[in-house]
Amino acid sequence: MTTMRAGLLCASALTGLLALNPAPALAQDAEVSEIVVTGSRIARKDYVSESPIVTVGQEQIAAVGMVTIENTLNQLPQFTPSNGSGTNTTNFVTTPGQAYANLRGLGPTRTLVLIDGRRVVAGNPNAVVDLNTVPTFLVDSVETITGGASAVYGSDAIAGVVNFKLKRNFEGLQVDAQFGATERNDAGQLTASVGWGKNFERGNLAVAATYDKREGLLASDRDWSAVGYSILTTGLTPSGAATIPDGRFDPASNTAGAANLPSQAAMNAVFGAYGFAPGTVARGTSLSFNADGTLFSTSPVNNYKGVRSAGFSPSSYTFNSAAYRYLNLPLERWSLFASGRYDLTDNLEAYGTAGYTTYDVSRQLGPASASDGAFPGPDIVVPVTNPFIPADLRTLLASRADPTAAFYPRRAFNEVGGRLSNNTYETTQVVAGLRAALPIKDWKWDLYASYGQMDHSEDQFGNVSRAAMRTLTFAPDGGVAICGGFNIFGAAKVSPSCAAYIAREVTNSTTIKQTVVEGYTTGSLIDLPAGALKFSAGAQYRKDDFDYSPDLLLRGPDIVGFNPAVPVSGDITSKEVYAELLVPVLADLPLIESLDVTLGGRVSDYSTTGQVSAYKADLTWKPASGLLIRGGYQRAVRAPNIAELFSPASLGFVGIGSPGTGTTAGDPCDVRSSFRTGASATAVRTLCLSQGVPTAIIDTFNQASTQVEIVGGGNPALTEETADSFTAGAVWSPAVDAPFLRRFSISLDYYKIEVADVVGTIGVPTILASCFNADGSNPGLFNTNFYCQQFTRLTSGQITGVAQTQVNLASVKTSGIDAQVDWAFDLADLGLPESAGALAFNLVVTKLDSFERQARPSAAFVDYAGTIGADLSGGALPDWKSVLSATWTAGPVKTTLRWRHIAAMTDARSVPTFSPTAVNTPDYDVFDLSGSWKVDDRVTLRAGINNLADRDPPYFTSYPNSNTDPSTFDILGRRFFVGINAKF
């Protein structure tokens, strides 16, 4: 923190906020005063979008006080935070730390991100733009439209478009710096920038640079996340990883499986010596190791002699990894930008931009955990000859039917440290183009080429080697001669030298390239009685290349820690033509001041899926001055991306939650699960046996971990997604000279989006719950059921190999209402003096009517509106979400109070079947205060306090990431920021 503050003092004298980009190309632009709003390529006077549109200005971005732009977007009601994007905590294996835009909860792959109306290179193989590459200091405004926009922009615009519009007409030198931190003196953020621009006779040149730094925040740094909990209405139960640093012995994990358990007599003898009655600990119960070599059972806990910290639970002994996991990832970023334009002739202009962004971000997870996985077999194999086996464990091993059989213990290697991933991203984007006015009416043309490249290098630490561990466990002296001794039976017993011996560092690299060549022309065809018939047409060529090269160690079976990986490469090219027609139907009639129809279409030919089409029909009607009624229909498409098409089959892990009464979470075969105690308990037990849970342990069976192994991959046979979007609404700006209505406007819009042939996978919790008939999908509880066939079990009964191959599943449907109110007036209108200033109010609110998902074709739709926890990323889909700002301006002083509201949500465990023990989230309200003081024409100071009441995020049942959803709710707490802007 001290370093950042010192850096601020230096940077504030040198750096600042830039406002730049080429001025409009042609003199005719200023004369005609036409503008282009996101969603169309046709420029019009006094244009209001025919699609629902929300615009965020630079002042609103600055008021958030954060260094990355996704924090601003995620506070808007139209956005659903995606996979930790609010704090850059995404765990995507090849792109940790990236941030995405997710409109309407339909996913980042269905939200198209543009900069100045142009595509930019993606940040990952899912063709999603990394918002970290959008330099916040350059952004003048963000325009967001809802509904399909593929007819105008092509694939991916199913949910809508987010268009970052960069600043224009910059001249002179401008510097800016801002620093922020929480009241706990952590999670510091610094941003500092400098920009220079110069107009000359035939053009403009501008350059800028910015530096951002964000400090990390661990889960252990906040009381509400310092301990992981199983969250139920019956109370909070400490919960964590089942693979523990103390080491764990699962009796069924050996070469003969459950047929080779220790005898109950031996178990009684060992625990009888500890003072426990016979039968207290069953022969199949998982065991761990005290510091003195004695044993303790892990579920429930018997004979534990260690420290009972805040994360200890007598019902189940687990590992609390809060001290390793980041809530807020540390980030350091540099951005450079340059733009220029030059009039080659009076009508022909050359223009170009060049941007470069590089940032470093670290992700850290709990230590590598060795288990008895399905592939490539158990991580640790221990022969009975190992010298470190405690005496009491030897007694149990010797009582087995085959006393010489090797066994497979579990262990988390905190001696090696957490799994740390250091990432460097470098993104370059270059645009060069020509534009001119034609000597025909108002016709113009624009031709440009752009090239973008993203290079990502990831250095992983904390992995361990299976081969190295087996070398040590099979050594006659237990590895003493090699590294001092590899004792895994108890916490902190692995020597530093042996920890270094098994540790492995790996490096992965990713390169993504995008080439775009596009040209279009627009202008008026003929003059109709109601106005000019306007037309736009263009063509685009695009090629996206992706290459992911994981370290050779990750490609093989040796690494334990980060997920194994396989190389992925591929390319997709598209050739597209499009056209748009604005038809002025009627004008200057009673109740029809104007009536316009806009038609558009696009045909795209993909090298992967072939030819696809998108089209639209929109209407705008002004029955009277100040009132606009708008609506339309759009057919949008999304072609499968490289990851969905070409990713080879690979292993991963997904959380399934903790089992318990009243919840469908966890493994249904676990004896603690509601499935094992409900009305169908006998049939569930039979199904579990048919799936491979051993008879010897069926009545004491525990799923060892809340995470299960999945097998995912791409599918070259995928077809495109299609979506039908319907919008209807009105905008009213009273055209009256009344004091309180001069600056009043309100918009109200309805949207409905239906996506068919959705590319994706069925969620693992859904597969498990449906297999065991939680939603009526398997009333006979037969193992031949579709969902039951999507996973297998190890000989120990543990779930493994859940199928997650990409397929065209079924449909998603969502609908809702957006409203925006803007109202401003002078306080003098209330009889106060002129010096009292003015008040301005802005309200943006969304009502989510429905969000229906279909797991597979012919399956019933399930409505998740008003719920949270249906997705790994939290899946927050509140019925109501709003942001209300009130701004008072008096002379050089401006103060804004902002209220962010998220309505109460039902935990997804209660959908579609009510769960009486699931914990829901309450109404969540956060207030922010910010202000600025314009010292003079050159210097402006600003400051703010976010989360004034220091509101903690709420707990809920379904989401295991630090007990809440760090993307949706505020995890930093009360925080302050100060900034300065100076112009020279």
Side-chain angles (χ1 to χ4, degrees):
M1 183 66 68
T2 302
T3 302
M4 290 186 65
R5 286 176 174 165
L8 172 64
L9 295 176
C10 297
S12 62
L14 299 173
T15 57
L17 177 65
L18 172 67
L20 64 90
N21 210 29
L26 307 170
Q28 289 89 337
D29 288 350
E31 295 171 3
V32 177
S33 298
E34 292 187 333
I35 60 173
V36 174
V37 175
T38 303
S40 174
R41 295 187 185 277
I42 296 177
R44 280 165 274 192
K45 293 182 180 179
D46 304 321
Y47 181 70
V48 179
S49 172
E50 67 256 330
S51 298
I53 188 166
V54 173
T55 301
V56 176
Q58 193 277 332
E59 287 189 2
Q60 293 166 285
I61 297 171
V64 175
M66 305 289 274
V67 301
T68 50
I69 196 72
E70 83 280 358
N71 296 282
T72 302
L73 295 184
N74 287 336
Q75 291 176 9
L76 292 176
Q78 291 80 6
F79 288 85
T80 299
S82 179
N83 205 13
S85 61
T87 52
N88 298 120
T89 55
T90 175
N91 286 329
F92 189 95
V93 65
T94 60
T95 53
Q98 293 195 344
Y100 311 130
N102 182 0
L103 267 171
R104 304 299 181 192
L106 291 174
T109 59
R110 300 180 186 94
T111 300
L112 180 61
V113 173
L114 307 173
I115 295 181
D116 281 336
R118 302 186 186 96
R119 286 179 176 265
V120 292
V121 65
N124 58 56
N126 288 313
V128 178
V129 173
D130 177 13
L131 298 185
N132 285 321
T133 62
V134 179
T136 305
F137 71 95
L138 283 176
V139 177
D140 182 59
S141 65
V142 186
E143 291 181 348
T144 300
I145 65 167
T146 291
S150 292
V152 177
Y153 298 113
S155 179
D156 307 331
I158 279 181
V161 173
V162 180
N163 185 21
F164 293 92
K165 303 184 79 170
L166 303 185
K167 299 191 179 212
R168 298 174 178 271
N169 299 323
F170 181 78
E171 186 170 21
L173 178 68
Q174 192 170 149
V175 295
D176 184 281
Q178 178 176 295
F179 171 77
T182 75
E183 70 169 15
R184 298 167 180 82
N185 201 30
D186 58 18
Q189 300 198 31
L190 167 70
T191 181
S193 314
V194 61
W196 173 87
K198 175 68 174 178
N199 287 314
F200 47 92
E201 183 178 356
R202 300 182 69 89
N204 173 272
L205 178 66
V207 294
T210 189
Y211 172 78
D212 303 302
K213 186 171 184 179
R214 180 182 64 211
E215 291 182 334
L217 187 74
L218 294 169
S220 58
D221 292 331
R222 292 293 181 265
D223 292 342
W224 51 266
S225 58
V227 175
Y229 291 109
S230 174
I231 303 167
L232 299 172
T233 55
T234 53
L236 299 176
T237 302
S239 176
T243 304
I244 53 182
D246 314 69
R248 173 171 166 154
F249 169 64
D250 296 325
S253 293
N254 63 79
T255 51
N260 198 34
L261 299 179
S263 70
Q264 187 63 53
M267 193 73 74
N268 291 342
V270 169
F271 277 86
Y274 305 153
F276 293 90
T280 300
V281 180
R283 62 196 293 246
T285 301
S286 296
L287 306 174
S288 188
F289 313 97
N290 290 306
D292 61 3
T294 58
L295 308 180
F296 69 91
S297 61
T298 61
S299 182
V301 181
N302 292 297
N303 197 46
Y304 177 66
K305 298 180 181 181
V307 177
R308 301 191 175 218
S309 61
F312 177 83
S313 170
S315 63
S316 180
Y317 184 86
T318 58
F319 174 54
N320 179 12
S321 61
Y324 295 92
R325 289 181 286 105
Y326 280 119
L327 285 173
N328 198 51
L329 299 191
L331 176 145
E332 188 170 17
R333 177 175 65 179
W334 284 95
S335 296
L336 304 173
F337 188 84
S339 68
R341 59 179 178 84
Y342 186 77
D343 294 331
L344 299 174
T345 68
D346 290 341
N347 288 322
L348 178 64
E349 179 190 72
Y351 65 91
T353 62
Y356 172 79
T357 299
T358 181
Y359 71 94
D360 297 313
V361 62
S362 295
R363 172 185 59 156
Q364 184 169 262
L365 306 172
S369 298
S371 65
D372 55 351
F375 175 84
D379 298 332
I380 306 177
V381 179
V382 179
V384 294
T385 57
N386 186 281
F388 291 114
I389 296 174
D392 288 345
L393 179 56
R394 286 193 183 278
T395 298
L396 298 182
L397 295 173
S399 72
R400 299 176 299 170
D402 179 5
T404 63
F407 60 99
Y408 316 141
R410 293 170 171 261
R411 198 178 192 281
F413 288 96
N414 55 349
E415 296 94 343
V416 177
R419 286 169 291 163
L420 178 64
S421 168
N422 291 335
N423 301 269
T424 298
Y425 298 91
E426 293 184 88
T427 301
T428 303
Q429 189 75 47
V430 179
V431 177
L434 297 170
R435 52 193 173 195
L438 293 171
I440 306 172
K441 293 189 175 182
D442 57 351
W443 281 84
K444 308 170 188 176
W445 60 267
D446 192 321
L447 175 66
Y448 75 90
S450 71
Y451 175 80
Q453 180 168 322
M454 192 283 298
D455 293 296
H456 170 209
S457 176
E458 178 190 26
D459 295 318
Q460 294 180 357
F461 305 89
N463 295 299
V464 297
S465 163
R466 288 184 177 91
M469 289 190 291
R470 293 183 188 185
T471 296
L472 298 178
T473 58
F474 276 85
D477 62 354
V480 172
I482 298 175
C483 55
F486 188 58
N487 184 356
I488 61 174
F489 303 102
K493 290 193 173 184
V494 175
S495 69
S497 296
C498 286
Y501 181 82
I502 65 172
R504 296 292 183 270
E505 299 177 6
V506 302
T507 299
N508 306 319
S509 63
T510 302
T511 298
I512 300 176
K513 302 176 183 178
Q514 182 185 78
T515 302
V516 177
V517 178
E518 182 173 18
Y520 68 93
T521 184
T522 182
S524 300
L525 294 173
I526 58 174
D527 292 325
L528 298 176
L533 179 69
K534 294 196 171 186
F535 178 73
S536 176
Q540 181 189 88
Y541 168 84
R542 186 172 81 251
K543 182 177 182 181
D544 293 284
D545 294 273
F546 174 80
D547 182 75
Y548 170 56
S549 180
D551 195 287
L552 290 175
L553 286 174
L554 280 182
R555 304 184 198 185
D558 187 51
I559 290 295
V560 178
F562 285 96
N563 291 341
V566 291
V568 182
S569 63
D571 64 80
I572 298 176
T573 60
S574 67
K575 301 171 184 176
E576 311 178 37
V577 293
Y578 55 88
E580 195 175 357
L581 183 68
L582 169 64
V583 183
V585 181
L586 297 171
D588 302 323
L589 297 174
L591 295 180
I592 306 179
E593 188 173 300
S594 66
L595 178 65
D596 297 339
V597 172
T598 303
L599 305 174
R602 189 182 195 102
V603 177
S604 305
D605 186 11
Y606 286 88
S607 59
T608 51
T609 56
Q611 186 171 297
V612 298
S613 300
Y615 42 87
K616 71 170 186 174
D618 294 314
L619 177 144
T620 57
W621 168 36
K622 294 183 68 174
S625 180
L627 177 62
L628 176 79
I629 296 173
R630 62 190 179 189
Y633 162 78
Q634 300 217 22
R635 162 59 65 92
V637 296
R638 187 182 77 85
N641 55 57
I642 289 173
E644 293 166 337
L645 290 167
F646 304 129
S647 293
S650 60
L651 301 180
F653 294 89
V654 168
I656 60 173
S658 301
T661 304
T663 175
T664 58
D667 182 357
C669 292
D670 193 302
V671 292
R672 299 166 294 179
S673 169
S674 60
F675 294 90
R676 293 295 303 270
T677 58
S680 301
T682 301
V684 168
R685 184 180 185 275
T686 300
L687 176 55
C688 294
L689 290 169
S690 68
Q691 289 181 348
V693 178
T695 304
I697 61 172
I698 184 64
D699 294 322
T700 59
F701 175 72
N702 289 167
Q703 170 72 22
S705 174
T706 58
Q707 289 191 325
V708 298
E709 192 174 69
I710 63 171
V711 180
N715 181 358
L718 291 173
T719 61
E720 72 276 5
E721 296 178 348
T722 59
D724 295 309
S725 300
F726 305 87
T727 59
V731 181
W732 180 48
S733 301
V736 295
D737 191 23
F740 292 104
L741 291 178
R742 291 193 194 107
R743 288 172 284 171
F744 177 85
S745 67
I746 182 171
S747 65
L748 187 67
D749 290 284
Y750 168 81
Y751 69 90
K752 183 177 182 180
I753 305 172
E754 299 181 354
V755 188
D757 298 319
V758 172
V759 174
T761 60
I762 304 175
V764 175
T766 298
I767 289 173
L768 297 179
S770 297
C771 170
F772 286 83
N773 199 43
D775 57 359
S777 296
N778 188 14
L781 290 171
F782 298 126
N783 196 36
T784 54
N785 174 267
F786 167 81
Y787 293 101
C788 297
Q789 293 300 301
Q790 303 309 302
F791 64 96
T792 59
R793 292 183 183 270
L794 300 172
T795 56
S796 60
Q798 306 296 312
I799 293 172
T800 190
V802 186
Q804 295 284 277
T805 301
Q806 299 285 338
V807 293
N808 286 101
L809 286 172
S811 300
V812 175
K813 301 187 294 186
T814 185
S815 64
I817 298 173
D818 291 333
Q820 179 168 332
V821 180
D822 290 282
W823 182 31
F825 56 87
D826 296 326
L827 291 176
D829 294 332
L830 298 177
L832 297 175
E834 292 287 341
S835 60
L839 283 177
F841 300 91
N842 171 260
L843 171 66
V844 181
V845 59
T846 287
K847 170 65 172 70
L848 179 63
D849 286 335
S850 66
F851 194 97
E852 298 178 89
R853 289 183 177 138
Q854 189 182 39
R856 59 193 182 98
S858 76
F861 281 92
V862 178
D863 192 356
Y864 287 93
T867 70
I868 186 170
D871 288 339
L872 180 63
S873 61
L877 298 168
D879 289 327
W880 291 94
K881 187 177 179 183
S882 61
V883 179
L884 172 63
S885 299
T887 301
W888 172 63
T889 304
V893 176
K894 179 180 291 187
T895 302
T896 297
L897 178 65
R898 186 174 49 159
W899 169 28
R900 294 180 271 147
H901 173 73
I902 300 174
M905 289 176 280
T906 300
D907 191 277
R909 296 286 185 215
S910 291
V911 178
T913 304
F914 174 70
S915 173
T917 60
V919 174
N920 306 323
T921 63
D923 287 343
Y924 186 75
D925 298 284
V926 175
F927 295 88
D928 310 315
L929 180 66
S930 62
S932 64
W933 174 35
K934 190 174 182 180
V935 179
D936 54 34
D937 290 340
R938 295 191 305 169
V939 178
T940 299
L941 304 177
R942 63 182 181 274
I945 308 173
N946 290 331
N947 196 350
L948 280 167
D950 198 26
R951 178 79 184 271
D952 285 340
Y955 290 166
F956 61 100
T957 299
S958 292
Y959 198 45
N961 188 348
S962 302
N963 306 318
T964 191
D965 182 354
S967 306
T968 298
F969 304 110
D970 191 304
I971 55 92
L972 297 179
R974 186 184 295 121
R975 56 194 180 277
F976 307 87
F977 68 89
V978 293
I980 183 173
N981 180 276
K983 302 174 183 177
F984 303 96

